[in-house]
Amino acid sequence: MARGLKGGLTDYGDAGFAAYLRRSFASSMGYSRAMLEKPVIGIAYTPSGFNNCHRHFPELLEAVKRGVLAAGGLPLEFPTISLGESFTSPTTLKFRNLMAMDTEEMIRAQPMDAVVLMGGCDKTVPAQLMGAISADKPAVMLLAGPMLGGSLDGERLGACTDCRRFWARFRAGDIDQPTIDRVEGQLAVTAGTCAVMGTASTMACLTEAMGLCLPGTAAIPAVHADRLRAGEATGELAVRIAGRDDRRPSAFLTAKSLENALTVLLALGGSTNAVLHLTAIAGRMGFDLDLHRLNELSERTPVLVNLKPTGTHYMEDFHRAGGLGGVLRELEDLLHRDAAGVTGETLGERLAAERGAWVDRGVIAARTTPIDPVGGLVAVFGSLAPNGAIVKRSAAEARLLEHTGRAVVFTSLADMAERIDDPALEVTADDVLVLQNAGPTSAAAMPEAGYLPIPKQLGSKGVKDMLRISDARMSGTAYGAIVLHVAPDAASGGPLALVRTGDRIHLSVKERRLDLLVDEAALAGRRQELEPAATAPERGYARLYAEHILQADRGCDFDFLQPTARTPLAGD
Ligand code: FES
């Protein structure tokens, strides 16, 4: 039941006094007594001068408030921290859990009957979902929506696949400084999240697949009027779910919701980061998301979406082509149709209502003619990654997915920066570039550095892809034969720390294997030589992070934020 401002009173030892005092201070904001009696809709509001992707939030907030007021609620926005990808050091992932804690505690501590979560940039959506799931009040997400693309000399450009493509060309000497300067001004030309199926758009689609936002809203561009209408409708929905126990995340989110999200992730050829975030979200719900289950689903789920970084189109095309609904209808028999969303509607009911809707087959393929017959992501396991690693097979040169090569090892990001372009570096296109100490327990805190650059001496000869392995992440907008999230990571003493230049490494995506071909006696010797783990920082969030961060196979959440009793994500 909605309790409005009477909910969660400040503790003075006198409830009557606390309610009277709260009304008195709320009145000072100019609200009438009648407004103060209405259900309260909190709005987790995350604009920031350090987050370009949320630049349009002031206008979007007005739309949400309009919807709340029209439906008879009192909208009260509250700030939480915001995470802008390229403005945060060492990496936004380090602060995702801080944002999740901020969101959770402010939802819990303040008197709201439902909450609208406004987020979009990569880590903000998982952080808000993790926090809202743990707080367990009725919650609905309103996504920022993607940017529109820019153009240069007649060529369409969009963050951030084209950022990397042009930077690689610049590094290889293919384009000059004035050209890269002009590219810089055309990559991100509107408010909103990156223009391709990167992490932000992948997480937006997974949010819709789990029923945590209004159907049909994940892909609406940030600057489109439909985005404002979605804001208004989200505000109205928030009033409808206010105070309802059956609209708490725990009441309708199930293992089936997670499996639907995994299937959609695979069909999108979506971001590798989404595996990490879904694992963390599952953990908050009390489920262990087993990477073997990802592999099972990957075998039966075709890639249907022709979007960058692996395809040719941009998010604005995806929206025009039919959006996520067009993908969900193709996947219908692979999805749990009885999974319900925050609206109360099941996925099956939604899809039945949308049957026959128009789809642009140049962007969203039919099941009979998929882009790829199997899913875009797979997990590999073996002596180099006992707890798994992730490969985006849809983004790699096929020959490199079955490959044995000589390791060329970089012991840290600094080491890589210093030596990767050194003409004296002994490296061939068949070698395997290995980056150590860039995982969650390293000082680098798992940056998006897994897209190791091709050494200049090879790039300038036209080499475009090499097998690259690390415990880091990769931007959802990047591509290549890249093995990521190796667990356990090198800084915690995982086998990745034992690799030396000259070792042989074998990857077989077909067999789901990643092995270091070095005998155990040699590895035991190397293990003895490993430096002891660095001591935790003395204070603050850095210390909390160092003491509680979990490995990639647990979603890099903090151990104390996940319920201790968890069950494996069951199969069909
Ligand atoms: Fe915000 Fe890419 S930088 S989504």
Side-chain angles (χ1 to χ4, degrees), residues 51-54 83-86 120-122 147 159-160 192-195 199-201 477:
N51 191 343
N52 58 292
C53 300
H54 296 189
L83 298 172
E85 275 303 297
S86 54
C121 196
D122 287 17
M147 295 175 195
C160 214
T193 52
C194 286
T199 305
S201 291
T477 60

Side-chain angles (χ1 to χ4, degrees), residues 9-226:
L9 289 171
T10 314
D11 198 354
Y12 300 108
D14 179 342
F17 172 73
Y20 145 81
L21 198 67
R22 178 175 286 173
R23 277 197 308 275
S24 153
F25 281 108
S27 300
S28 82
M29 293 188 273
Y31 294 112
S32 65
R33 184 75 187 237
M35 283 303 294
L36 297 180
E37 297 294 330
K38 293 182 184 294
V40 174
I41 306 304
I43 304 169
Y45 187 51
T46 56
S48 161
F50 296 97
N51 191 343
N52 58 292
C53 300
H54 296 189
R55 168 160 73 81
H56 57 313
F57 274 20
E59 190 184 22
L60 198 52
L61 175 68
E62 289 311 311
V64 178
K65 287 183 153 183
R66 201 159 62 230
V68 172
L69 289 168
L74 172 62
L76 296 176
E77 76 271 26
F78 61 97
T80 70
I81 58 169
S82 188
L83 298 172
E85 275 303 297
S86 54
F87 295 93
T88 312
S89 173
T91 156
T92 47
L93 182 65
K94 181 168 183 179
F95 303 102
R96 183 201 61 184
N97 298 346
L98 182 63
M99 184 174 177
M101 289 169 73
D102 185 358
T103 306
E104 173 184 346
E105 297 304 337
M106 288 303 99
I107 292 173
R108 188 178 286 125
Q110 299 173 132
M112 60 191 79
D113 299 302
V115 60
V116 175
L117 307 158
M118 290 180 65
C121 196
D122 287 17
K123 307 304 177 296
T124 62
V125 173
Q128 290 186 316
L129 293 180
M130 290 158 71
I133 287 166
S134 295
D136 204 27
K137 282 187 187 176
V140 56
M141 190 91 215
L142 175 62
L143 298 149
M147 295 175 195
L148 301 183
S151 74
L152 185 86
D153 303 336
E155 185 178 358
R156 290 175 79 190
L157 299 185
C160 214
T161 304
D162 296 322
C163 317
R164 291 168 208 288
R165 185 164 63 85
F166 277 93
W167 189 250
R169 287 181 61 190
F170 177 62
R171 276 176 52 81
D174 190 27
I175 56 173
D176 59 12
Q177 187 70 50
T179 305
I180 194 76
D181 289 346
R182 288 199 300 134
V183 168
E184 192 178 294
Q186 285 299 315
L187 291 165
V189 294
T190 72
T193 52
C194 286
V196 300
M197 190 54 80
T199 305
S201 291
T202 304
M203 288 310 301
C205 290
L206 302 193
T207 301
E208 185 175 327
M210 289 189 284
L212 286 164
C213 64
L214 277 170
T217 60
I220 303 169
V223 296
H224 198 297
D226 281 348

Side-chain angles (χ1 to χ4, degrees), residues 164-165 167-174 396-397 399-400 403 420-421 425 427-433 451-468 479-482:
R164 291 168 208 288
R165 185 164 63 85
W167 189 250
R169 287 181 61 190
F170 177 62
R171 276 176 52 81
D174 190 27
E397 279 185 22
R399 66 181 177 87
L400 293 170
H403 186 73
I420 190 91
D421 287 338
L425 180 72
V427 64
T428 74
D430 289 329
D431 289 341
V432 181
L433 302 180
Y451 178 71
L452 277 69
I454 303 291
K456 227 175 197 164
Q457 55 172 291
L458 298 177
S460 59
K461 287 187 199 134
V463 175
K464 296 241 175 327
D465 201 2
M466 291 175 72
L467 181 55
R468 291 161 269 182
Y479 50 90
I482 297 183

